[in-house]
Amino acid sequence: MLYLGRLIINGAHRLRGEVVISGAKNAAVAIIPAALLVEGICIIENVPNIKDVSILIRTLRELGAKIKYIDDTTLEVDCSEVTCYTASYEMVKKIRASCYLLGALLGRFNRANMAFPGGCDFGVRPIDQHIKGFEALGAKIDIQHGIIHAVAEKLIASQIYMDVVSVGATINIMLAAVKAKGTTIIENAAKEPHVVDVANFMNSMGANIKGAGTDVIKIKGVDKLTGGTYSIIPDQIEAGTFMIAAAATLGDVTIKNVIPKHLEAISAKLSEMNVNIEDYDDSIRVWVDKKITKANVKTLPYPGFPTDLQPLIVTLLCKAEGTSIVTEGVWDSRFQYVDELIKMGANIKVEGRVAVIEGVSRLSGSQVKATDLRAGAALVIAGLISEGVTEIHNSEHIDRGYENLEQKLLQLGADILAVGKSKNKNNGVVNLYDSVEAL
Ligand code: EPU
């Protein structure tokens, strides 16, 4: 069955009320493969019910893992009997995070075979830093017919300087090094909250990782990871999405189950734009009582403004007073969605990695197409602040990374309808288009 989803939004409703944030996608998609390193039972709590997670669960099961849901957001994962170290193209083509299978299988079996991973298209997405790290640990890497073969007689700790700050390479090297003999040092490591979460997960299973969250991570190899219980952090990007949606609709929303520290770059930028922000221990209130004004934004690795919110902040700036400049500092090509905003009346010019946004007084509902996950979320916000009806095609991209986005927006007063979804009483919403070949 091939199904492409749609979201239909009747715009111009202010969002008001409370919303609860789910577990972090980019932590979950690393922690689930990391469970391959554990020879015991892992209980993983606060798992978001999103498409990328269901793809990874299926992939781990194909490798021989026993995985079951204990409740809607808790997984029991037992990888003790996994013996397979080959992840085929069929398994890994759908999502980028499947690249973590390489580090996890290498760390577990001293060998791994994996096809190149798929994922959102932001231009070139190299994995040279992952490979450099594996080689430094003593693995031989051979690429044949699109398959990466990694093999090591024994993994031995090393000092690795990352040429670029990479979330994926930092996590993958941690996975491969967790049982390597000696102390591995990753310098110029990524500091994202999900990097810290993966380290905390592995430490709770018996690993010895220090420094995650700084740019030097030290991993002292241990003999075995033995199992335990861990709860995934709240999703920084989902929280940022609701913050921007609340601001864009001139609403008043309290966003619960967040870590305000992870949201500082977003809060600071929204405050600069006249949006009111109030932090509490584990929630944040966002409301608007003044005209939203222009801002310049540059996306950077954490603690900078996250690239994954770039399409959303651009959308907010479409109706802000004045001219804003947004510079993409992480990916080569992350403005493909701008053409869709222009169809809705936005005034945006893109030159390479820079977008110049001239605020307009109105956007109008249109037929648009989501090109990737965050671009899809940006179009949802555009639909919420447009006059008339917006129909977002290919909305299955959004389900890859947002749990029940339309349900949460409905509760906040949005007029939004998802076409092509069904309810699963054990496990929240599931997609009817589970068998879509390439998302
Ligand atoms: N890079 C290299 N060589 C490498 C790896 C990365 O040159 O070996 C470059 C990339 O081309 C890019 C930069 O380094 O210019 C950063 O890439 P990074 O490796 O940090 O990205 P990633 O691990 O592939 C994760 C998130 C992305 C998010 C980026 C940046 C996951 C599963 N994905 O990707 O999230 O944009 O970090 O923060 O964690 C999303 O959630 O929508 C999403 C795309």
Side-chain angles (χ1 to χ4, degrees):
M1 175 181 67
L2 183 69
Y3 178 82
L4 297 175
R6 270 181 308 143
L7 280 176
I8 299 168
I9 303 171
N10 191 10
H13 293 271
R14 288 180 185 219
L15 298 184
R16 289 180 193 281
E18 294 181 350
V19 63
V20 179
I21 297 306
S22 302
K25 161 191 170 269
N26 287 343
V29 297
I31 285 173
I32 293 168
L36 281 165
L37 288 154
V38 181
E39 289 156 75
I41 292 179
C42 310
I43 306 291
I44 311 172
E45 298 170 342
N46 204 29
V47 178
N49 187 3
I50 54 175
K51 178 88 180 164
D52 275 12
V53 162
S54 61
I55 291 172
L56 275 171
I57 291 175
R58 207 183 314 161
T59 305
L60 256 70
R61 280 185 179 141
E62 284 178 38
L63 290 171
K66 294 195 185 96
I67 305 183
K68 64 179 184 203
Y69 271 97
I70 298 176
D71 62 38
D72 282 357
T73 57
T74 307
L75 277 180
E76 183 186 286
V77 183
D78 180 359
C79 295
S80 34
E81 284 170 29
V82 172
T83 50
C84 177
Y85 48 81
T86 298
S88 67
Y89 180 65
E90 285 309 308
M91 286 186 193
V92 307
K93 67 184 176 186
K94 291 174 187 159
I95 56 168
R96 184 72 186 171
S98 51
C99 69
Y100 296 134
L101 296 171
L102 201 54
L105 291 170
L106 185 61
R108 167 88 182 258
F109 298 111
N110 286 352
R111 59 192 306 158
N113 303 318
M114 201 191 85
F116 274 84
C120 297
D121 176 11
F122 312 134
V124 185
R125 293 189 76 171
I127 56 165
D128 56 303
Q129 298 303 303
H130 304 234
I131 289 176
K132 171 177 157 170
F134 299 149
E135 285 178 336
L137 294 170
K140 289 208 165 34
I141 309 290
D142 183 31
I143 298 171
Q144 297 276 357
H145 309 294
I147 308 286
I148 307 159
H149 303 270
V151 91
E153 223 164 85
K154 194 157 115 185
L155 292 167
I156 298 177
S158 182
Q159 182 154 359
I160 301 152
Y161 180 85
M162 313 287 295
D163 300 326
V164 292
V165 179
S166 160
V167 169
T170 302
I171 293 178
N172 234 344
I173 295 167
M174 286 197 305
L175 299 180
V178 74
K179 293 201 273 179
K181 202 161 177 50
T183 299
T184 296
I185 301 176
I186 308 176
E187 296 199 63
N188 199 23
K191 297 181 280 215
E192 269 67 5
H194 32 288
V195 173
V196 180
D197 212 35
V198 178
N200 288 342
F201 164 76
M202 291 203 283
N203 283 342
S204 76
M205 302 287 145
N208 185 344
I209 303 174
K210 296 204 168 88
T214 75
D215 51 14
V216 181
I217 301 181
K218 293 186 178 160
I219 307 140
K220 189 165 179 205
V222 295
D223 289 339
K224 210 172 166 184
L225 302 188
T226 49
T229 299
Y230 189 77
S231 185
I232 293 175
I233 51 165
D235 195 305
Q236 175 208 24
I237 304 300
E238 188 196 8
T241 299
F242 279 100
M243 291 170 75
I244 294 173
T249 60
L250 310 180
D252 185 346
V253 177
T254 298
I255 300 153
K256 298 177 117 176
N257 186 34
V258 300
I259 299 176
K261 174 91 191 138
H262 295 167
L263 303 170
E264 278 173 353
I266 306 141
S267 297
K269 199 43 76 178
L270 291 178
S271 300
E272 205 181 301
M273 296 164 68
N274 263 346
V275 176
N276 302 301
I277 308 278
E278 202 159 308
D279 284 355
Y280 303 95
D281 287 347
D282 60 357
S283 61
I284 196 160
R285 179 181 165 214
V286 178
W287 78 102
V288 175
D289 55 14
K290 293 186 232 35
K291 180 86 189 148
I292 295 182
T293 52
K294 69 184 169 73
N296 295 338
V297 181
K298 178 161 185 183
T299 68
L300 290 167
Y302 188 83
F305 191 92
T307 172
D308 294 338
L309 290 175
Q310 178 260 97
L312 294 92
I313 201 87
V314 165
T315 305
L316 170 61
L317 290 168
C318 285
K319 282 183 73 182
E321 203 167 57
T323 306
S324 305
I325 298 176
V326 175
T327 308
E328 174 54 49
V330 177
W331 296 109
D332 281 340
S333 172
R334 204 171 191 175
F335 285 117
Q336 293 103 320
Y337 65 90
V338 159
D339 286 345
E340 305 302 296
L341 291 179
I342 291 172
K343 282 185 201 162
M344 302 174 83
N347 183 348
I348 307 174
K349 291 196 174 51
V350 175
E351 185 69 48
R353 285 177 164 219
V354 178
V356 179
I357 305 129
E358 191 75 52
V360 294
S361 58
R362 61 184 286 272
L363 295 177
S364 56
S366 313
Q367 300 267 343
V368 287
K369 193 166 97 180
T371 49
D372 64 63
L373 165 59
R374 309 299 173 190
L379 292 177
V380 169
I381 294 183
L384 293 172
I385 58 173
S386 291
E387 289 168 19
V389 176
T390 294
E391 196 168 329
I392 303 172
H393 296 259
N394 294 11
S395 64
E396 66 283 350
H397 285 292
I398 298 169
D399 302 318
R400 284 193 38 212
Y402 289 93
E403 178 174 312
N404 297 344
L405 182 63
E406 70 287 348
Q407 289 296 323
K408 291 183 182 183
L409 287 170
L410 263 176
Q411 279 163 20
L412 293 173
D415 184 349
I416 180 167
L417 175 72
V419 181
K421 285 186 147 193
S422 70
K423 290 266 183 192
N424 171 336
K425 66 179 172 4
N426 298 321
N427 199 6
V429 172
V430 290
N431 302 313
L432 275 178
Y433 37 88
D434 251 2
S435 59
V436 166
E437 281 305 295
L439 291 177

